[in-house]
Amino acid sequence: MENILRTKKELRFKDGKFKILCVSDFHGVKNFDRRLIRDFSALLDSASPDLVLILGDTVCKDAAESEDSVRAFLSQAVKPLEDRKIPWAHVFGGHDDERGVTNEMQEKIYESFPYCVSKTGDADVSGTGNYVLPVMSEDGSRIVYNVWGLDSHDGAHDYAAEFGLNPDMWWFFLPDSFSLDSHYDTFRFDQLMWYWNTSKAIEKHEGHKIPGLMVAHMPMPEYILCYKNTAQTNYNGTRREHIGCNMINSGLFSTLVQRGDVKTFICGHDHINDFEASYCGVKLAYDAGLNYDGYCDDDLRGGRIVEIDENDPWNVKTYMLYCKDIVKNYPGEEDRNEK
């Protein structure tokens, strides 16, 4: 249990509060648009978070082609965090390993940064970067909140290869399905078991359930129910593209509902969606995108804030913080190459 709960930098409430900033989809390339750093820095200065979570698709294309190129981009992208001494963690997306540098290889690079508190995770569990980060009470005597990260994997072809399914993939691209963007992988059952068993072990250790947040790169199919039933799910925000979930439902959402400790789930992946909604007592939310080298809409570019009160950690506040509201001369085409 001590190994599970240990983090490189201890996370604690300060003045009874703890704030998290979620950002994603940097889509870093070698000659990336420097406005990414400008906007990221502005988000950090405006929010003053206690923890930052980077939700995947951090590198892609030529920045993902070697360990040196991954390190070169990350050294620039996370410098605002390292300079401000803000603990941060990440999960992987689908683009990160697209040029053959595996997530396992990249994880070592991430964890080499002093303020990165990500964890490789159990080698016997599918994926790289399944972890839990405990947030301690202000006096350090107890766990108040848990931050969970899960690897949502890559594409459906990987799933087919792993489980011996017909590679023609017709079954994954049914013409009448609940998602028009469904060629993605899904969570594995052993990841669900790991979360369930670890959550129960922490409950036994602390004497009660610990509320928490879970993050992953890709959304779950239940996100679709939210925008189709806006009145019932207290839907708030914007959806400008299809929900990029998988066709095979892993059962993660029902696992969260049954276990009853994770009440907020945040993902990236769909750059121009930023909505949040509640279903079966679980808040499902996006953080929109932050890049200039993929696709984003200027009015949605930003990150999602999560605010937690030590005296009421079951009821968190979450909302979007937009670059357009905090960055001078935004988006500022002339700033794209500024070092």
Side-chain angles (χ1 to χ4, degrees), residues 97-110:
D97 65 351
E98 67 181 4
R99 293 292 178 91
V101 183
T102 67
N103 290 345
E104 291 87 349
M105 296 163 67
Q106 292 189 39
E107 183 68 25
K108 295 177 182 179
I109 300 173
Y110 277 88

Side-chain angles (χ1 to χ4, degrees), residues 33 40 50 93 99 110 125 127 137 139 179 186 236 271 304:
D33 190 315
F40 190 23
D50 301 296
R99 293 292 178 91
Y110 277 88
V125 178
S137 58
D139 64 8
S179 175
T186 191
N236 178 50
H271 306 183
R304 181 164 290 277

Side-chain angles (χ1 to χ4, degrees), residues 6 24 42-43 50 55 80 98 106 127 138 147 158 162 178 212 227 241 248 284 291 294 320 327 331:
R6 186 181 301 115
S24 70
L43 288 170
D50 301 296
L55 306 189
E98 67 181 4
Q106 292 189 39
E138 191 161 354
V147 176
D158 294 336
E162 184 174 349
F178 51 76
Y227 81 80
E241 63 179 311
I248 295 182
L284 303 177
N291 74 79
M320 285 295 301
V327 177

Side-chain angles (χ1 to χ4, degrees), residues 38-272:
R38 179 201 65 183
D39 292 0
F40 190 23
S41 298
L43 288 170
L44 297 176
D45 290 338
S46 178
S48 297
D50 301 296
L51 173 68
V52 171
L53 300 174
I54 302 173
L55 306 189
D57 281 2
T58 307
V59 296
C60 66
K61 299 178 182 177
D62 58 2
E65 68 186 9
S66 70
E67 291 180 75
D68 286 342
S69 63
V70 171
R71 185 182 298 277
F73 175 76
L74 286 179
S75 294
Q76 299 174 80
V78 305
K79 189 175 187 297
L81 292 164
E82 295 289 318
D83 286 349
R84 291 165 176 78
K85 300 181 179 181
I86 301 173
W88 59 277
H90 79 291
V91 291
F92 287 110
H95 285 291
D96 292 294
D97 65 351
E98 67 181 4
R99 293 292 178 91
V101 183
T102 67
N103 290 345
E104 291 87 349
M105 296 163 67
Q106 292 189 39
E107 183 68 25
K108 295 177 182 179
I109 300 173
Y110 277 88
E111 293 184 29
S112 70
F113 290 95
Y115 283 87
C116 176
V117 295
S118 299
K119 301 178 183 180
T120 302
D122 192 329
D124 295 327
V125 178
S126 298
T128 302
N130 302 300
Y131 57 77
V132 59
L133 305 174
V135 183
M136 307 301 294
S137 58
E138 191 161 354
D139 64 8
S141 64
R142 59 192 175 88
I143 300 173
V144 175
Y145 201 76
N146 282 324
V147 176
W148 301 84
L150 283 188
D151 185 354
S152 57
H153 305 286
D154 193 348
H157 287 85
D158 294 336
Y159 187 93
E162 184 174 349
F163 298 106
L165 299 172
N166 190 328
D168 67 18
M169 301 297 287
W170 66 264
W171 52 274
F172 225 96
F173 295 96
L174 296 173
D176 186 8
S177 66
F178 51 76
S179 175
L180 297 178
D181 192 8
S182 58
H183 55 283
Y184 300 109
D185 208 333
T186 191
F187 301 100
R188 303 291 190 268
F189 182 63
D190 63 347
Q191 291 177 279
L192 276 58
M193 287 194 299
W194 171 81
Y195 151 68
W196 183 280
N197 292 333
T198 304
S199 173
K200 291 194 72 172
I202 294 173
E203 178 183 7
K204 182 178 180 180
H205 182 268
E206 291 294 307
H208 59 91
K209 279 186 181 180
I210 305 297
L213 157 74
M214 182 175 285
V215 297
H217 179 65
M218 295 183 192
M220 298 179 284
E222 286 77 11
Y223 274 67
I224 297 172
L225 295 175
C226 294
Y227 81 80
K228 287 188 174 183
N229 302 275
T230 58
Q232 294 83 358
T233 61
N234 295 315
Y235 177 99
N236 178 50
T238 303
R239 182 186 71 88
R240 294 179 182 164
E241 63 179 311
H242 299 297
I243 307 300
C245 65
N246 47 73
M247 282 282 287
I248 295 182
N249 194 325
S250 68
L252 175 59
F253 182 79
S254 63
T255 301
L256 299 182
V257 172
Q258 292 173 47
R259 181 68 193 125
D261 58 351
V262 171
K263 294 299 184 180
T264 306
F265 184 97
I266 300 175
C267 69
H269 186 54
D270 299 326
H271 306 183
I272 51 177

Side-chain angles (χ1 to χ4, degrees), residues 2-54:
E2 289 303 319
N3 185 53
I4 292 173
L5 300 180
R6 186 181 301 115
T7 56
K8 187 162 64 177
K9 301 290 183 181
E10 187 178 54
L11 306 176
R12 282 199 193 192
F13 281 80
K14 300 172 186 174
D15 298 323
K17 308 292 182 182
F18 193 85
K19 184 184 291 186
I20 299 170
L21 168 66
C22 294
V23 292
S24 70
D25 297 277
F26 288 4
H27 279 246
V29 294
K30 284 185 178 178
N31 187 28
F32 69 94
D33 190 315
R34 264 56 184 183
R35 288 178 292 181
L36 170 70
I37 304 301
R38 179 201 65 183
D39 292 0
F40 190 23
S41 298
L43 288 170
L44 297 176
D45 290 338
S46 178
S48 297
D50 301 296
L51 173 68
V52 171
L53 300 174
I54 302 173

